[in-house]
Amino acid sequence: MPNSTLEERCVNTIRTLSIDAVQAAESGHPGMPMGMADAAFVLWDKFLKHNPTHPEWYDRDRFILSAGHGSMLLYSLLHLTGYDLSLDQLKNFRQWGSKTPGHPEYGHTPGVETTTGPLGQGFATGVGMAMAEAHLAAKFNNGKFKLTDHYTYGIVSDGDLMEGISHEAASMAGHMKLGKIIYLYDSNRISIDGSTDLAFTEDVFSRFQSYGWHVTEIDGHDRKAVENAIKEAQQVGNKPSLVICKTHIGFGSPNKQDSAASHGAPLGEEEVRLTKENLGWESDEKFFIPDDVLQYFRKALDRGEKWHSDWRQKMEEFKNYEPETSEAFHSQISRKLPADIEEHLLHFEADEKGMATRAASGKVLNKIAPHVPSLIGGSADLTGSNKTWIDDAGIFNADNYAGTNIHFGVREHAMGAALNGMALHKGVIPYGGTFLIFSDYCRPAIRIAALSNIPSIYVFTHDSIGLGEDGPTHQPIEHLASLRAMPHALVLRPADANETAWAWKAALEYTDGPALLVLTRQSLPTVKRDANNAASLTMKGAYIISDSEKETPDTILLATGSEVHIALEAQKELKNEDIDGRVVSMPSWELFAQQDKSYQEEVLPSAVTARISIEAAAPFGWERWIGNKGIAIGLNRFGASAPYEEIYEHLGITSERVVQEAKKLHR
Amino acid sequence: MPNSTLEERCVNTIRTLSIDAVQAAESGHPGMPMGMADAAFVLWDKFLKHNPTHPEWYDRDRFILSAGHGSMLLYSLLHLTGYDLSLDQLKNFRQWGSKTPGHPEYGHTPGVETTTGPLGQGFATGVGMAMAEAHLAAKFNNGKFKLTDHYTYGIVSDGDLMEGISHEAASMAGHMKLGKIIYLYDSNRISIDGSTDLAFTEDVFSRFQSYGWHVTEIDGHDRKAVENAIKEAQQVGNKPSLVICKTHIGFGSPNKQDSAASHGAPLGEEEVRLTKENLGWESDEKFFIPDDVLQYFRKALDRGEKWHSDWRQKMEEFKNYEPETSEAFHSQISRKLPADIEEHLLHFEADEKGMATRAASGKVLNKIAPHVPSLIGGSADLTGSNKTWIDDAGIFNADNYAGTNIHFGVREHAMGAALNGMALHKGVIPYGGTFLIFSDYCRPAIRIAALSNIPSIYVFTHDSIGLGEDGPTHQPIEHLASLRAMPHALVLRPADANETAWAWKAALEYTDGPALLVLTRQSLPTVKRDANNAASLTMKGAYIISDSEKETPDTILLATGSEVHIALEAQKELKNEDIDGRVVSMPSWELFAQQDKSYQEEVLPSAVTARISIEAAAPFGWERWIGNKGIAIGLNRFGASAPYEEIYEHLGITSERVVQEAKKLHR
């Protein structure tokens, strides 16, 4: 197309790479990359501060493709601007072993900032990134040195904005006045079912204004307008920005533009041909990239190197200027934990009265926080209940981004995604609290953390019928099983205050996925410890908390959390029945499963098949540990509203019940 | 208080009952009932059409306390207006066996329309009720007879509006122009953490206008203003209404009004006394109800009887006027299924090529729909993928509420709650579709259905790595286990087209909770059937789909859904190894667990311990069926993006793998 400008040819390269890759894979979403190519080009060409050869450079702008189904848009840009993503990878879109999976996956492809696809996740994860940016800037920048100073850009879709999580995250970002968020909304009026008129007719413009956002609406194919809108958004310091880009999905396709037909399926060979013709594309060749286009895009390498080296230079100067702060900053952005972390774990004396593990958690957190200054977190409006408050650390808000106590509001889902975003940003170790029951509300974000090895920490309190009067709507039953079934999720349900301290250590050290602390509302005795049942054994996932007298016990009682105390009580009662029992506390199935066979055999000798598990939850899955002959005491029903001791009694989660079942095994 | 009007004394009775009950329980939320007593009184006294002696009367107005923590507000009103909820029940608030649990539970307390407490659920469930109302009115009302003609009222809180589900449901209700929704928003500016200024500063007024709602703001303690606002809302036929009631939480408490201290804890004996004094309350007696107040409230009984008998009269006339329509209407509101439902199940011929179970589901649904006219449903923007469309049934929207195909938009959570609301309303059998992975997005609503025995039907397609190229973000792994762990949830994962037909029957007949159909994207062979492996055995949860030659098999292969075919293939291959295998298809663990021991023993003889399960999912929980010596073939990792056959191959979900494992068992 002789009359095309270089810019137009750049944009059309994004389009043609995307349609060729989807066509080759015979699967994917071509319409979105075609529609957003103009706006994305402007963003990446004129604004995005990044260094393709060092995708992990700390002070880069973050770019999130929340509409992850349009992954070829991102892969095209990554290839064109010189990331380590070859053209062959694009040709292998959606194939086994490629770096170009159907939806962008963090950790899998260089330059992908977070895993997207499940709609709304990217939108809310970006809010978390911007929170981390604001916090670290407030904490470490000074007039002379801005070590943290970048934007969080994103492309979001109709689908993202329909999901509830977008509301939570947008309302939260507006409240927090996170001015460095700039999202381009691909308003193409087409969803998978057809026109958005079928289901989505809200006024997005005024909706986002109501959240306190800066909103503009432009023609998303008018590149000058996109440029001006982003510039304007950058000037608005105290509001996140939504740039509504009116676009045509499948732009350039003579028969499928503005139609759902271009949304989730290849255009078809013939339509690909017609589209290229219609765009005045200069070659029939698949995956064709004009030389001058590539050359133009690759200027990103020099720009990136320049930005990056300027920043390195600044860092060096800062190091000389404020060596201690510089070290603290480095330590945070590399997620360094103190070598002597064990020294900072609270130790609790044995105490029959004891305390709730949530209370212990609050104390442990406060003891450890001064030594792990990257800790930042809060609760979804249950701060006092979750015991997530860190004393003297201030509230994180628009007046004080340096504060570390976050009020997420009643927004569990946005909280979960924000934790992911903060962890992905690096520089902070984020945690978030709610009742265990509401893990259901943030489950999709927990799963993103699991899938992408994001170390988000959850403080889930009120973990069973032990919460009492609030009743079955608030009493978890299936939640332990449902979280244990998720790969990479680390579930920790400590039995007393000291196990809680070590569970926090395990959580902080775990970086393969989310760590989930599961804590009681009700008080639990603090167990007497010696070398044989040291609380540090928590790190092994399961251990003998109270052994039998015989070398080989008659029976093994396995329990977690609050039910360990029932097992210990039953152990005593069983002596009267001449049954010699061992009690195994099992705070984490995942950690125990990782131990070597000999340790597992030591704790759970195969010879002992008379095993009883006790957990105030669905017994689902306990067969793994108790075997065929074992008995799982648990709840195959929902709970009830009453003082908790009565519920335990009525539902048979008692030492008497354990004794009764044990006698059956020894009849 | 001699100067108090009777109305004021009525309102203060609600307040004092609520604070007395919370105080007696030493647990609960007094502030909300105190703050909303005025508005709730006006709604119940001047508007709410209901019959306390027949809480189930079909054409009543629905009232939803979405802010379920304020349960004493509802219990007080139920007692005062004459429902079967004695004063003793109020005195036993939150106690074992009472009808007054911490949060309102449907099915547990007469007059409670839906279970609330988990925030946002009530808000969105009410939208479902209004959808059912609009649909049944459009379908059966005519100029002369309005058999369905009622409002859906609700009280919603700051917390409800922070939750993402409120956004989804509000946007959907605005789109659908559900004018008979009238929600009173208790805007008291206090959440559990303190002032809503901590986290929630959006402009709710304009937010709801942007959804297409009618919004007004009033002083929630000005009862005349409340009355006028509700009257005005009733006049707005084509928009749902939000009446923002500015209120004082803990109204009347001299030291705790307008403070988070009155939110989630008893006021304390002394403050209760001071509050009563401050309100000019006429007695120190706990749970005191002035005679004239009770008398006034109990007028609801006569009003209710009148409304109800007028409606019965109308029904009688209608029966004479249009006997067939009348019968159809009755049949729908009593959730009657055709006696010959089996006749309407599609039968599919054996076919090696077969079809995806989602495709079979679509065909079965279309075959059965004309015989089950109460079926209504759709998809969260995946209609074509989920195969949820019913031909010739029209789209449910503001122009055609009689249509039954619902476009929920990308709003899985609101869809789940709307299904609950429609089912609770009665008159329709609702279903909703999305990918199985997104069951996570609607999990809290699925749980409400399970807890409250609500027969919502879910069509979950794309149920494993078998969806292929979309990759791990879209491939369920832990979802089967996590749903099976939930009490009352019925999980159905059929192995071929004919099992799918019977799974639909099981789903339609199940009324103890949600029925979850789990279906493939990819094609599966249609199995050859005879009397021994009839597809009707699906109803037993597990059955021998292909038996061994020996009476007692060497090994048993257990599988569900798409993996049954791998098991059948392996069975053949095992013959070459002289291992005689039985294949058990296990579409539903829950149904199989309900069978008597002898049937279970017949299918899975205890003598055969060489068992292998095959499921393309987390193997979590399979030990239950395969025992100690069994081997579970599954996925302890996330999936990958590639054509699905390759993923199965690479991840070892293959018949070769089964053979290999079986040989280990027989070594």
Side-chain angles (χ1 to χ4, degrees):
Chain A
M1 191 180 182
N3 297 325
S4 280
T5 63
L6 178 60
E7 241 187 36
E8 273 162 16
R9 292 165 61 243
C10 285
V11 171
N12 283 334
T13 304
I14 299 173
R15 290 196 175 107
T16 52
L17 285 177
S18 299
I19 62 182
D20 283 344
V22 171
Q23 194 61 41
E26 295 180 17
S27 160
H29 299 254
M32 186 277 194
M34 296 165 79
M36 278 304 279
D38 286 301
F41 172 74
V42 173
L43 175 59
W44 280 59
D45 183 50
K46 303 239 188 283
F47 297 95
L48 195 71
K49 183 179 76 172
H50 64 134
N51 184 4
T53 54
H54 288 83
E56 296 278 314
W57 166 39
Y58 167 76
D59 198 36
R60 71 194 180 278
D61 289 335
R62 271 46 170 188
F63 172 78
I64 294 170
L65 188 74
S66 190
H69 54 274
S71 55
M72 269 312 303
L73 175 68
L74 179 54
Y75 299 148
S76 299
L77 286 162
L78 291 172
H79 171 71
L80 290 168
T81 55
Y83 282 77
D84 180 17
L85 193 70
S86 68
L87 195 59
D88 276 346
Q89 291 291 347
L90 269 60
K91 291 177 182 169
N92 276 303
F93 181 50
R94 292 181 162 232
Q95 303 309 303
W96 181 266
S98 80
K99 284 186 180 175
T100 48
H103 296 81
E105 294 173 33
Y106 173 77
H108 191 81
T109 313
V112 170
E113 298 283 4
T114 183
T115 299
T116 53
L119 288 167
Q121 295 299 324
F123 185 110
T125 303
V127 172
M129 290 181 184
M131 288 167 70
E133 198 268 351
H135 175 69
L136 291 158
K139 189 164 173 179
F140 292 105
N141 289 356
N142 58 32
K144 205 168 148 66
F145 297 100
K146 289 194 169 178
L147 307 179
T148 305
D149 185 17
H150 52 262
Y151 289 94
T152 302
Y153 295 106
I155 291 181
V156 306
S157 64
D158 298 313
D160 286 305
L161 301 193
M162 282 192 251
E163 291 287 2
I165 188 174
S166 75
H167 154 65
E168 295 181 13
S171 179
M172 191 165 82
H175 170 78
M176 293 175 177
K177 304 187 195 295
L178 298 170
K180 296 178 91 175
I181 293 176
I182 300 176
Y183 285 168
L184 308 180
Y185 163 34
D186 177 21
S187 177
N188 60 30
R189 299 183 49 76
I190 294 292
S191 70
I192 289 178
D193 273 6
S195 164
T196 52
D197 286 346
L198 288 171
F200 185 58
T201 48
E202 65 182 41
D203 177 351
V204 171
F205 196 106
S206 66
R207 176 184 154 208
F208 273 75
Q209 280 189 321
S210 80
Y211 295 139
W213 284 50
H214 164 72
V215 189
T216 46
E217 182 171 303
I218 55 164
D219 171 355
H221 300 291
D222 178 344
R223 291 189 294 275
K224 195 68 205 167
V226 174
E227 184 180 345
N228 291 337
I230 297 176
K231 273 189 190 154
E232 186 187 313
Q234 289 186 335
Q235 300 312 311
V236 182
N238 62 348
K239 290 179 175 189
S241 292
L242 189 74
V243 179
I244 303 178
C245 303
K246 307 296 270 188
T247 62
H248 298 282
I249 193 170
F251 182 95
S253 162
N255 299 301
K256 297 193 172 177
Q257 177 175 315
D258 294 324
S259 145
S262 70
H263 195 302
L267 296 181
E269 290 292 356
E270 176 61 8
E271 188 69 12
V272 167
R273 200 185 59 73
L274 292 173
T275 301
K276 288 183 181 174
E277 194 175 291
N278 189 40
L279 290 170
W281 194 231
E282 52 212 83
S283 168
D284 273 349
E285 201 187 314
K286 298 269 174 181
F287 297 98
F288 176 73
I289 304 174
D291 287 342
D292 55 342
V293 163
L294 188 64
Q295 216 175 338
Y296 183 81
F297 270 112
R298 289 282 159 97
K299 288 184 183 166
L301 292 170
D302 284 344
R303 284 201 303 271
E305 212 37 73
K306 175 74 169 61
W307 277 316
H308 194 171
S309 67
D310 287 353
W311 184 80
R312 277 202 204 93
Q313 175 70 25
K314 209 160 40 174
M315 287 284 282
E316 277 307 307
E317 288 168 26
F318 183 62
K319 193 173 163 182
N320 298 326
Y321 186 74
E322 285 192 31
E324 277 177 38
T325 316
S326 168
E327 201 188 315
F329 176 69
H330 268 289
S331 165
Q332 282 202 208
I333 68 173
S334 59
R335 203 184 190 280
K336 218 160 124 186
L337 295 172
D340 60 346
I341 190 165
E342 293 187 23
E343 306 295 314
H344 306 300
L345 296 179
L346 259 184
H347 169 77
F348 300 86
E349 293 303 317
D351 176 11
E352 195 45 45
K353 196 163 155 265
M355 67 181 77
T357 50
R358 65 174 170 144
S361 169
K363 290 175 197 290
V364 170
L365 178 62
N366 272 279
K367 176 74 176 0
I368 215 166
H371 309 282
V372 186
S374 45
L375 270 168
I376 181 169
S379 162
D381 197 40
L382 291 166
T383 303
S385 300
N386 301 145
K387 311 288 183 198
T388 44
W389 183 265
I390 297 178
D391 292 333
D392 309 319
I395 296 177
F396 173 90
N397 62 27
D399 296 327
N400 178 32
Y401 289 129
T404 71
N405 287 295
I406 304 174
H407 287 289
F408 291 101
V410 189
R411 304 183 182 107
E412 299 84 4
H413 203 173
M415 176 176 76
L419 296 181
N420 293 345
M422 287 190 275
L424 287 168
H425 178 279
K426 302 236 163 73
V428 292
I429 297 181
Y431 65 91
T434 184
F435 291 165
L436 177 59
I437 195 87
F438 301 132
S439 61
D440 281 350
Y441 275 70
C442 46
R443 200 171 161 89
I446 299 174
R447 188 176 206 265
I448 292 285
L451 177 57
S452 306
N453 310 115
I454 303 172
S456 301
I457 299 175
Y458 286 84
V459 179
F460 288 137
T461 70
H462 295 58
D463 71 346
S464 77
I465 50 170
L467 64 85
E469 291 88 343
D470 271 346
T473 52
H474 285 57
Q475 292 163 352
I477 297 290
E478 69 279 18
H479 299 75
L480 283 169
S482 78
L483 293 166
R484 286 173 181 150
M486 190 185 287
H488 302 181
L490 176 65
V491 181
L492 295 150
R493 187 171 188 244
D496 74 348
N498 287 307
E499 276 195 19
T500 305
W502 287 89
W504 260 105
K505 178 169 185 282
L508 287 168
E509 291 178 353
Y510 185 69
T511 54
D512 285 346
L516 316 168
L517 292 158
V518 175
L519 306 168
T520 66
R521 172 182 186 240
Q522 75 275 26
S523 284
L524 304 177
T526 305
V527 175
K528 196 161 180 296
R529 305 272 172 183
D530 57 32
N532 291 321
N533 69 354
S536 58
L537 290 164
T538 300
M539 305 290 285
K540 288 190 180 281
Y543 65 98
I544 303 164
I545 193 167
S546 174
D547 209 353
S548 52
E549 289 174 4
K550 299 186 194 165
E551 196 174 345
T552 303
D554 296 331
T555 194
I556 300 177
L557 308 178
L558 297 88
T560 77
S562 40
E563 286 70 65
V564 169
H565 306 280
I566 293 174
L568 290 168
E569 185 57 37
Q571 181 191 37
K572 283 185 222 160
E573 294 169 21
L574 281 170
K575 287 201 177 132
N576 302 331
E577 309 285 342
D578 273 336
I579 299 175
D580 184 52
R582 162 183 293 182
V583 178
V584 171
S585 177
M586 203 165 188
S588 171
W589 289 21
E590 298 84 12
L591 291 180
F592 187 60
Q594 284 166 23
Q595 304 307 314
D596 56 39
K597 289 285 156 207
S598 71
Y599 179 75
Q600 292 181 354
E601 179 67 22
E602 194 184 306
V603 176
L604 299 178
S606 333
V608 186
T609 59
R611 301 181 187 183
I612 297 175
S613 66
I614 312 121
E615 191 167 65
F620 195 95
W622 270 102
E623 293 88 352
R624 174 172 181 190
W625 307 112
I626 60 173
N628 276 13
K629 302 208 173 122
I631 292 172
I633 296 178
L635 298 165
N636 281 308
R637 52 159 287 172
F638 291 103
S641 171
Y644 77 90
E645 301 90 337
E646 288 180 49
I647 308 174
Y648 269 87
E649 191 67 35
H650 283 285
L651 302 189
I653 312 290
T654 60
S655 59
E656 297 76 38
R657 171 85 181 288
V658 177
V659 171
Q660 192 185 322
E661 300 291 349
K663 281 160 74 180
K664 280 187 207 160
L665 288 176
H666 289 277
R667 223 169 9 208
Chain B
M1 193 178 181
N3 295 328
S4 279
T5 62
L6 178 58
E7 244 189 32
E8 275 162 12
R9 291 166 61 243
C10 285
V11 171
N12 283 333
T13 304
I14 297 171
R15 290 195 175 107
T16 53
L17 286 177
S18 299
I19 61 181
D20 282 345
V22 171
Q23 194 60 44
E26 295 179 17
S27 159
H29 298 254
M32 185 278 196
M34 296 165 80
M36 279 303 281
D38 286 301
F41 172 75
V42 171
L43 174 60
W44 280 60
D45 184 49
K46 303 242 188 280
F47 296 95
L48 195 73
K49 182 178 79 170
H50 63 133
N51 184 3
T53 54
H54 288 83
E56 297 278 314
W57 166 41
Y58 167 76
D59 197 37
R60 69 195 181 278
D61 290 334
R62 271 47 169 188
F63 172 78
I64 293 170
L65 188 72
S66 189
H69 54 273
S71 54
M72 270 311 304
L73 175 69
L74 178 54
Y75 299 148
S76 299
L77 286 162
L78 291 172
H79 171 71
L80 290 167
T81 55
Y83 281 77
D84 181 17
L85 191 70
S86 69
L87 196 57
D88 277 345
Q89 292 290 348
L90 270 58
K91 292 177 181 170
N92 276 302
F93 180 51
R94 292 182 162 231
Q95 302 309 303
W96 181 267
S98 80
K99 285 187 180 174
T100 47
H103 296 82
E105 295 174 32
Y106 173 77
H108 191 83
T109 313
V112 170
E113 298 282 6
T114 183
T115 299
T116 52
L119 288 166
Q121 295 299 324
F123 184 110
T125 303
V127 172
M129 291 181 181
M131 288 166 70
E133 199 268 349
H135 174 70
L136 291 157
K139 188 165 175 179
F140 293 105
N141 288 355
N142 60 30
K144 204 169 148 70
F145 297 102
K146 291 194 167 178
L147 306 180
T148 304
D149 185 16
H150 52 262
Y151 289 94
T152 301
Y153 295 107
I155 291 180
V156 306
S157 64
D158 297 312
D160 286 305
L161 301 193
M162 281 192 253
E163 291 287 2
I165 187 175
S166 74
H167 155 64
E168 295 181 13
S171 179
M172 190 166 84
H175 170 78
M176 293 175 175
K177 304 186 195 292
L178 297 171
K180 296 177 93 173
I181 292 176
I182 300 176
Y183 286 168
L184 308 180
Y185 163 34
D186 176 22
S187 177
N188 59 33
R189 300 183 49 77
I190 294 292
S191 70
I192 288 179
D193 273 5
S195 163
T196 51
D197 286 344
L198 288 171
F200 185 58
T201 48
E202 66 182 42
D203 177 351
V204 171
F205 196 106
S206 65
R207 175 183 155 209
F208 274 76
Q209 280 188 322
S210 79
Y211 296 139
W213 284 51
H214 163 74
V215 189
T216 47
E217 182 170 302
I218 55 164
D219 171 356
H221 299 291
D222 177 344
R223 291 189 295 275
K224 196 68 205 168
V226 174
E227 184 178 346
N228 290 338
I230 297 176
K231 273 189 188 153
E232 186 187 311
Q234 288 184 335
Q235 299 313 309
V236 182
N238 61 348
K239 291 179 176 190
S241 292
L242 189 75
V243 179
I244 302 178
C245 304
K246 307 295 272 186
T247 61
H248 298 281
I249 193 170
F251 183 95
S253 161
N255 299 301
K256 297 191 171 177
Q257 177 174 317
D258 294 323
S259 145
S262 71
H263 195 302
L267 297 181
E269 289 293 357
E270 177 60 9
E271 189 68 14
V272 169
R273 199 184 61 71
L274 291 173
T275 302
K276 288 182 180 174
E277 195 176 290
N278 188 41
L279 291 169
W281 192 233
E282 52 210 86
S283 169
D284 274 348
E285 201 187 313
K286 297 268 175 184
F287 298 96
F288 176 73
I289 303 173
D291 286 342
D292 55 343
V293 164
L294 189 64
Q295 217 173 340
Y296 183 81
F297 269 112
R298 291 283 159 97
K299 286 182 185 169
L301 291 170
D302 284 345
R303 285 201 302 271
E305 212 37 75
K306 176 74 168 60
W307 277 317
H308 194 171
S309 68
D310 286 354
W311 183 81
R312 277 203 206 91
Q313 175 69 24
K314 210 159 41 172
M315 287 284 281
E316 277 307 307
E317 287 168 26
F318 183 63
K319 192 173 163 182
N320 297 329
Y321 186 74
E322 285 193 33
E324 275 177 38
T325 316
S326 167
E327 203 188 313
F329 176 69
H330 268 288
S331 167
Q332 283 203 207
I333 68 172
S334 59
R335 202 183 192 280
K336 220 162 125 182
L337 294 172
D340 60 348
I341 189 166
E342 293 187 21
E343 307 294 314
H344 307 299
L345 297 180
L346 259 184
H347 169 76
F348 300 85
E349 293 302 318
D351 176 10
E352 196 44 45
K353 197 164 153 264
M355 67 181 77
T357 50
R358 64 171 172 147
S361 169
K363 290 173 195 290
V364 170
L365 177 62
N366 272 279
K367 175 75 176 0
I368 215 168
H371 309 281
V372 185
S374 47
L375 270 169
I376 181 170
S379 164
D381 196 40
L382 291 166
T383 303
S385 300
N386 300 144
K387 311 288 182 196
T388 43
W389 183 264
I390 297 179
D391 292 334
D392 309 319
I395 296 177
F396 173 90
N397 62 27
D399 295 326
N400 178 31
Y401 289 128
T404 72
N405 287 297
I406 304 174
H407 287 290
F408 290 103
V410 190
R411 303 183 182 106
E412 299 84 5
H413 203 174
M415 176 176 77
L419 296 181
N420 292 345
M422 286 190 275
L424 286 168
H425 178 278
K426 304 234 163 77
V428 292
I429 298 181
Y431 66 91
T434 184
F435 290 165
L436 177 59
I437 195 86
F438 301 131
S439 61
D440 282 350
Y441 275 71
C442 47
R443 201 171 160 89
I446 298 174
R447 189 176 205 264
I448 292 285
L451 177 57
S452 304
N453 309 114
I454 303 171
S456 300
I457 299 175
Y458 286 83
V459 179
F460 288 137
T461 70
H462 294 58
D463 71 346
S464 77
I465 50 170
L467 63 84
E469 290 88 344
D470 271 347
T473 53
H474 286 57
Q475 290 161 353
I477 296 289
E478 69 279 17
H479 299 75
L480 283 169
S482 78
L483 293 166
R484 286 172 180 150
M486 191 186 287
H488 301 181
L490 177 65
V491 180
L492 296 150
R493 188 171 189 244
D496 75 348
N498 287 307
E499 276 196 19
T500 305
W502 286 90
W504 259 105
K505 176 169 187 279
L508 287 167
E509 290 178 355
Y510 185 68
T511 54
D512 286 345
L516 316 168
L517 293 159
V518 175
L519 307 168
T520 66
R521 171 181 188 240
Q522 75 274 28
S523 284
L524 304 177
T526 304
V527 175
K528 194 163 183 298
R529 306 271 173 183
D530 58 31
N532 291 322
N533 70 353
S536 58
L537 290 164
T538 300
M539 306 291 285
K540 290 193 182 277
Y543 66 97
I544 304 165
I545 194 165
S546 175
D547 210 353
S548 51
E549 288 174 7
K550 300 186 192 164
E551 196 172 346
T552 302
D554 297 330
T555 196
I556 300 177
L557 308 178
L558 297 88
T560 77
S562 38
E563 287 69 66
V564 169
H565 306 280
I566 293 174
L568 290 169
E569 185 56 36
Q571 181 191 37
K572 283 186 222 158
E573 294 169 19
L574 281 171
K575 286 200 179 134
N576 302 332
E577 310 284 342
D578 273 337
I579 299 174
D580 185 53
R582 162 184 293 182
V583 178
V584 171
S585 177
M586 203 164 186
S588 172
W589 290 21
E590 298 84 12
L591 292 179
F592 186 59
Q594 284 165 23
Q595 304 307 314
D596 57 39
K597 288 286 157 210
S598 71
Y599 179 75
Q600 292 182 353
E601 179 66 22
E602 194 182 305
V603 176
L604 300 177
S606 335
V608 185
T609 59
R611 301 181 186 184
I612 297 176
S613 66
I614 311 121
E615 192 168 63
F620 195 95
W622 270 103
E623 294 87 352
R624 175 173 181 190
W625 306 111
I626 59 172
N628 277 13
K629 302 205 175 121
I631 291 173
I633 296 177
L635 297 166
N636 280 309
R637 53 159 287 171
F638 291 104
S641 170
Y644 77 89
E645 300 91 337
E646 289 181 46
I647 309 175
Y648 269 86
E649 191 67 36
H650 283 285
L651 302 189
I653 312 289
T654 59
S655 57
E656 296 74 39
R657 169 85 181 286
V658 176
V659 171
Q660 190 184 326
E661 300 291 350
K663 280 160 75 179
K664 280 187 206 161
L665 287 176
H666 288 278
R667 222 166 12 205

